[in-house]
Amino acid sequence: MKLQEYTASAHNFEECMKCTICTAYCPVVPVNPRYPGPKQAGPDGERLRLKDPYFFNQALKYCLNCKRCEVVCPSGVKVADIIQSARIKYDHAQPRLRDVVLANTDFMGKLARPFAPIVNGTTALGVTKAVLDATFAIDKHRTFPKYSGRSFERWLKRRAKEQAKFDKQVAYYHGCYVNYNYPQLGKDFVKVMNALGIGVQLLDKEKCCGVALIANGMSKKAAKNAKHNVDVLQKAVDAGLKVLTTSSTCTMTIREEYPGLLQVDNSGIKDSVLLATRYIYQLIESGQAQLKFKENYRARIAYHIPCHLEKLGWGIFSTELLKMIPGVEFTLLDSNCCGISGTYGFKKENYESSQAIGKPLFDQIKSVNPDFVACDCETCKWQLEMSTDYPVKHPVSILAEALA
Amino acid sequence: MRFDTVIIGGGLAGLTAGISLQEAGQKVAIVSAGQNAMHFFSGNFEDAGPVRERISALFAAAGVRTNALDGVQLMPMGKFQPVSLTLEDVTVFPEEHIAEKALIVNFTGFHDFYCTFLAETLEKAGTACRIRFVRLPEMEHLRTSPSEMRSVNIARVMDEYWEKAVADIRILLGDEDLIILPQVFGLKDASVLDKIRTSLPARVAFVGTMPPSVPGIRTQMLLKRRFEVLGGTFLMGDEVTSAALHEGVVSSITTRNLDTARLFADHFILASGGYFSKGLAATPTQVFEPLFGLDIDYPEERKDWYDADFFAEQPFMDFGVKTDASLHAVKDGEPMKNLFCIGSVLGGTRKEDYGTAAGLAIRTAFAVVDTIKGGNV
Ligand SMILES: Cc1cc2nc3c(=O)[nH]c(=O)nc-3n(C[C@H](O)[C@H](O)[C@H](O)COP(=O)(O)OP(=O)(O)OC[C@H]3O[C@@H](n4cnc5c(N)ncnc54)[C@H](O)[C@@H]3O)c2cc1C
Ligand code: SF4
Ligand code: SF4
């Protein structure tokens, strides 16, 4: 009986009323004629694929999984989930070496970190970039994220005793980026939490959330990571801890993609995994804690909301926190994708689209001319720092630098 | 999180109220589940005549230009409709004889623009018509899938290549004094419309297509941006899931995304739209307002809900939330103290006072804004 298979989809594609609104807001459509657009790639295509997998279209790989189509759809169709699930289900091509390298953020981090000065030196060199471009199809215009000499985990482990002294405790899912590339954000987070009277603990060996694995066709490995993470998160939750994060994408992946795309049950931990900005805001708003800021802090900040934070609907916590700091002149940038979308923009074949997608945002930043840009996402930071002349800071780092 | 006013629904009604209240110095949040009726907008604000100066000023500050003119608009299916306030995209004619000769131009493969219907109507009113097609290589990729030859997709191409279309139209133009084009221009930036008008040697009229509406989507984007520039908080793609009610007062609401982080406010405005936007809902046995369970008057017998003549005015379109004189929502027979209703969620219940359609959305929004600003809530 194939009837069931023909008609039933795990996703609600049949609720699509063909209004094309998703297509109006998809950032890829105007820059890449090869991409069929969310409606065609999502609900329309799904109906055909259920009849015959022959209709699977390789062009689905151009989807950024930015979720903007889902945010605007009046019928609540999970357009991006449909597209990503179709890639998981029907695309059996082996991922190429380049994609494996880009996707394994934690493995690469571990490997690169001990040699950080060499790796940073070589990936910054024109020659290396040209080689990466030619042999790996990683675009030569890209600046590689720097690897840090000492991991964040090691830094925090050394301070475990002093952190344990705080009565209130939270666990921190730092993600690959804080651990290998930018431990300073983790340190800023600890500083802010300590100022709130809260100690920070590591999880019992977190793994990469898996977002880059999903994007690069390695969903089996992503599901393995997801199961592992749900287990260690559950341990923390069982010990009565909230688990805070500083990456909007890791958070969206753990909360939404684990059950939605990877079929990994996260019901025991979902409500306890929160972005730090949300947790801090609610703590301050409810009067349970306070932050004291410098009296002479001054900054003109333009805030860019990352796609996955828009999807979570939690941008408001970051913006309200920033507005709370005395001396901040705040501008909200229009909600536009910056174009990098994790590993997507690193690939040579996507470089041009990636920059074209981000152009309205780059132009707006230049016209606002802030002291710096605020943003909760690490890959947006790379993209914006490369494509504009403005530094990009995480809201938590801004809180930390404004603390008295 | 605390606001002066929280608005449920970010369509025309919700945004009009939100912008006005922010302009008056209030701290406002709008929660909006997905997009709304503006995405299907014909460009004509029906029934908005009595407030056209006030709304035109609000729109102008947002960068939305309007025509506050009495006249007729040529509709997509080839009918004329009287108008008194339209978006600038709409060409308003004083009468149905709109030209001696008209050239109707469409894009090859675009089936959502009904040239032959338009020509039939125009010929009857004494305008001779010629229909011609433009085909641009920049649009060919859309044609690989016929379902993608849609207004918005064409508009995204036209934002960049409108000059090429204009060059082709110049070649096609004969001795016509009017060129009719589909409304597929200026998705992001309406200044393209003027540029097209000035680069062609005949008058240009833009006529609506089947949905989605390019002018409507642009207007929605500009109004949302204006609200945000004024400092308003727009929670896009979020949905209000429950409300805390006590003795006729709403103290807070919860949303799907913010869950435990409740939104508190002095005033709440329900601008959740009609059936189309799920502001009203129906089962075979009842019609209801899903969020607060507000009162709705409708006949008990289902057969009295509709007219078997499909094209007749349908009674169910008039069902809507009951309100008191100042638009406070009525629940269990009692008006709520700080919950107002505006826009399509009212159905036809306040037709006499505020009209229907876009006019209803704008006029009820202004009425509630004035009540809140006046402090006599
Ligand atoms: C297809 C269509 C075309 C129309 N065209 C015209 C026209 O050309 N001219 C004209 O004058 N009138 C037109 N109308 C009439 C139209 O209803 C009004 O013009 C007006 O736009 C309605 O605005 P609104 O803000 O009341 O509702 P809507 O535009 O429907 O907006 C309601 C919003 O509330 C949101 N919402 C609902 N429930 C919740 C919740 N629980 N939490 C959060 N958000 C919620 C919805 O997602 C939606 O975004 C049209 C109506 C429809 C349905
Ligand atoms: S916005 Fe939603 S309903 Fe409209 S075409 Fe896209 S998926 Fe379908
Ligand atoms: S997820 Fe983003 S890129 Fe993919 S179809 Fe949706 S809007 Fe387009």
Side-chain angles (χ1 to χ4, degrees):
Chain A
M1 273 302 281
K2 278 192 97 182
L3 192 63
Q4 187 67 11
E5 253 179 74
Y6 281 168
T7 48
S9 155
H11 302 279
N12 54 347
F13 77 95
E14 62 281 3
E15 281 172 39
C16 170
M17 56 171 169
K18 314 294 167 209
C19 66
T20 334
I21 286 176
C22 49
T23 306
Y25 289 88
C26 171
V28 180
V29 168
V31 300
N32 187 348
R34 276 163 301 181
Y35 185 55
K39 172 172 149 291
Q40 178 73 15
D44 286 6
E46 186 72 356
R47 198 163 48 86
L48 297 173
R49 293 186 292 261
L50 281 172
K51 297 238 183 293
D52 190 337
Y54 163 82
F55 290 104
F56 175 74
N57 181 346
Q58 282 295 337
L60 264 56
K61 68 169 182 249
Y62 296 119
C63 167
L64 299 165
N65 198 23
C66 70
K67 311 270 186 200
R68 283 176 186 270
C69 44
E70 294 185 6
V71 174
V72 297
C73 171
S75 305
V77 178
K78 299 236 180 301
V79 192
D81 280 8
I82 294 174
I83 297 169
Q84 293 308 320
S85 302
R87 292 190 56 207
I88 291 175
K89 190 164 166 198
Y90 302 109
D91 188 359
H92 301 301
Q94 280 297 319
R96 52 196 287 195
L97 180 58
R98 185 264 328 257
D99 296 356
V100 176
V101 170
L102 284 174
N104 282 277
T105 45
D106 53 354
F107 176 70
M108 282 305 288
K110 274 199 200 94
L111 214 61
R113 196 179 33 73
F115 311 105
I118 310 168
V119 175
N120 293 336
T122 44
T123 49
L125 280 177
V127 186
T128 318
K129 285 189 177 185
V131 171
L132 284 174
D133 189 303
T135 55
F136 268 130
I138 291 174
D139 197 277
K140 62 176 173 296
H141 297 92
R142 287 280 162 212
T143 322
F144 255 77
K146 289 217 175 351
Y147 286 101
S148 161
R150 182 169 293 151
S151 77
F152 172 77
E153 278 187 5
R154 244 180 85 190
W155 180 87
L156 189 58
K157 268 188 196 146
R158 290 189 171 185
R159 286 156 184 80
K161 266 211 194 108
E162 84 193 42
Q163 290 301 317
K165 287 188 194 138
F166 289 89
D167 286 344
K168 272 182 92 174
Q169 294 281 321
V170 293
Y172 180 36
Y173 180 91
H174 49 68
C176 306
Y177 168 71
V178 162
N179 203 30
Y180 302 116
N181 304 115
Y182 199 61
Q184 188 54 43
L185 172 54
K187 295 176 192 174
D188 291 340
F189 167 72
V190 173
K191 181 177 169 189
V192 174
M193 294 318 286
N194 289 174
L196 290 162
I198 299 170
V200 178
Q201 312 179 2
L202 291 169
L203 289 164
D204 182 14
K205 296 201 181 69
E206 64 171 68
K207 279 198 172 147
C208 167
C209 71
V211 70
L213 295 166
I214 300 172
N216 288 287
M218 284 162 261
S219 57
K220 283 217 182 78
K221 173 136 196 257
K224 246 172 101 183
N225 280 18
K227 286 199 193 93
H228 170 91
N229 283 336
V230 169
D231 286 347
V232 301
L233 289 163
Q234 191 68 55
K235 269 197 225 165
V237 173
D238 290 344
L241 296 172
K242 288 275 183 235
V243 183
L244 303 192
T245 58
T246 41
S247 159
S248 43
T249 291
C250 299
T251 313
M252 195 280 296
T253 305
I254 294 172
R255 287 179 56 109
E256 312 286 336
E257 309 282 59
Y258 281 9
L261 286 185
L262 300 176
Q263 271 85 49
V264 173
D265 178 14
N266 68 355
S267 51
I269 54 116
K270 181 175 175 188
D271 291 341
S272 302
V273 178
L274 298 171
L275 266 180
T277 43
R278 172 173 176 160
Y279 183 83
I280 297 168
Y281 177 84
Q282 285 189 277
L283 211 58
I284 295 175
E285 197 211 18
S286 63
Q288 295 175 58
Q290 266 185 323
L291 286 177
K292 274 211 192 69
F293 295 108
K294 291 186 184 113
E295 276 171 22
N296 59 352
Y297 188 78
R298 295 284 173 275
R300 287 174 34 257
I301 303 177
Y303 178 76
H304 161 63
I305 184 163
C307 300
H308 291 158
L309 189 53
E310 174 113 316
K311 166 70 183 160
L312 281 170
W314 292 358
I316 184 172
F317 298 112
S318 295
T319 57
E320 290 298 304
L321 275 177
L322 292 174
K323 289 187 208 164
M324 235 178 235
I325 306 172
V328 163
E329 204 182 297
F330 181 88
T331 309
L332 181 67
L333 297 165
D334 290 343
S335 177
N336 273 314
C337 178
C338 76
I340 184 126
S341 190
T343 55
Y344 183 95
F346 276 87
K347 300 175 187 174
K348 191 177 165 72
E349 69 270 25
N350 295 337
Y351 178 78
E352 269 180 37
S353 309
S354 169
Q355 295 311 104
I357 289 170
K359 189 162 183 302
L361 178 62
F362 310 153
D363 290 348
Q364 197 191 11
I365 292 173
K366 283 171 206 159
S367 76
V368 171
N369 188 25
D371 293 335
F372 54 84
V373 175
C375 174
D376 311 71
C377 169
E378 54 272 21
T379 54
C380 297
K381 177 178 156 81
W382 299 334
Q383 172 79 334
L384 295 178
E385 290 188 338
M386 186 197 91
S387 313
T388 70
D389 292 332
Y390 297 89
V392 179
K393 299 184 189 180
H394 193 284
V396 167
S397 295
I398 299 170
L399 287 178
E401 73 178 19
L403 280 182
Chain B
M1 216 163 284
R2 178 159 280 289
F3 295 89
D4 296 321
T5 301
V6 166
I7 300 172
I8 302 156
L12 182 59
L15 276 166
T16 303
I19 290 171
S20 304
L21 288 170
Q22 277 293 150
E23 281 174 341
Q26 281 216 345
K27 186 178 177 200
V28 183
I30 297 179
V31 189
S32 198
Q35 295 295 357
N36 51 66
M38 278 307 275
H39 289 70
F40 302 81
F41 192 56
S42 68
N44 171 27
F45 297 91
E46 287 169 47
D47 275 358
V51 291
R52 70 182 184 186
E53 275 72 35
R54 185 171 175 187
I55 192 67
S56 296
L58 181 145
F59 282 166
V64 176
R65 290 186 300 174
T66 47
N67 297 322
L69 295 173
D70 293 313
V72 291
Q73 171 191 10
L74 181 57
M75 301 299 289
M77 301 294 283
K79 286 232 161 36
F80 281 102
Q81 178 180 303
V83 297
S84 64
L85 181 74
T86 68
L87 290 176
E88 66 173 311
D89 306 68
V90 174
T91 308
V92 180
F93 301 101
E95 51 163 19
E96 297 189 3
H97 177 68
I98 61 175
E100 293 308 319
K101 290 183 178 180
L103 175 69
I104 303 175
V105 181
N106 192 10
F107 295 99
T108 308
F110 181 41
H111 300 304
D112 288 345
F113 186 55
Y114 297 137
C115 304
T116 37
F117 289 169
L118 296 177
E120 272 171 31
T121 306
L122 293 181
E123 303 259 351
K124 266 188 217 143
T127 303
C129 294
R130 222 160 41 99
I131 300 172
R132 286 294 177 272
F133 291 87
V134 168
R135 183 172 190 157
L136 297 182
E138 287 75 11
M139 226 177 263
E140 285 303 295
H141 67 273
L142 295 178
R143 287 161 48 85
T144 50
S145 158
S147 65
E148 294 308 298
M149 271 307 263
R150 305 293 298 273
S151 60
V152 170
N153 285 340
I154 297 178
R156 298 195 94 162
V157 176
M158 276 301 112
D159 269 355
E160 199 163 335
Y161 298 107
W162 62 272
E163 280 170 303
K164 291 203 167 184
V166 163
D168 282 7
I169 296 167
R170 288 180 78 99
I171 298 169
L172 294 171
L173 185 67
D175 58 351
E176 286 88 357
D177 54 335
L178 180 71
I179 302 167
I180 293 178
L181 296 175
Q183 275 172 1
V184 293
F185 300 95
L187 182 63
K188 286 263 161 63
D189 175 8
S191 68
V192 173
L193 301 174
D194 280 344
K195 290 181 195 151
I196 294 175
R197 286 192 186 105
T198 50
S199 26
L200 284 167
R203 278 185 301 144
V204 178
F206 298 97
V207 172
T209 65
M210 288 295 106
S213 156
V214 171
I217 293 179
R218 180 206 320 126
T219 305
Q220 161 76 27
M221 289 183 190
L222 289 170
L223 293 179
K224 172 175 177 274
R225 174 192 279 177
R226 168 73 176 155
F227 174 70
E228 290 185 330
V229 166
L230 287 165
T233 300
F234 197 101
L235 299 172
M236 173 79 120
D238 201 355
E239 186 185 349
V240 178
T241 46
S242 72
L245 305 181
H246 185 63
E247 295 186 347
V249 174
V250 184
S251 54
S252 67
I253 54 158
T254 50
T255 78
R256 188 187 58 225
N257 287 339
L258 301 180
D259 54 85
T260 58
R262 308 181 73 88
L263 301 181
F264 295 85
D266 298 335
H267 309 293
F268 291 84
I269 300 178
L270 186 66
S272 50
Y275 304 101
F276 170 80
S277 294
K278 303 190 178 98
L280 297 173
T283 66
T285 54
Q286 58 162 342
V287 180
F288 59 103
E289 185 284 306
L291 193 52
F292 296 92
L294 301 171
D295 292 0
I296 296 177
D297 268 343
Y298 58 92
E300 213 160 293
E301 290 283 328
R302 190 163 191 270
K303 67 174 173 37
D304 300 329
W305 295 7
Y306 57 89
D307 192 319
D309 174 4
F310 185 79
F311 293 101
E313 295 235 332
Q314 292 292 341
F316 66 82
M317 290 307 287
D318 275 350
F319 305 166
V321 170
K322 265 169 81 173
T323 44
D324 72 0
S326 45
L327 294 166
H328 290 94
V330 172
K331 184 172 162 65
D332 305 326
E334 288 292 322
M336 306 273 297
K337 295 198 175 70
N338 67 341
L339 176 65
F340 298 91
C341 294
I342 61 176
S344 298
V345 74
L346 294 166
T349 58
R350 305 301 297 269
K351 244 188 221 167
E352 276 76 37
D353 313 303
Y354 301 106
T356 60
L360 175 74
I362 297 166
R363 288 157 70 185
T364 50
F366 281 150
V368 166
V369 165
D370 292 344
T371 307
I372 292 177
K373 282 201 304 198
N376 42 4
V377 177

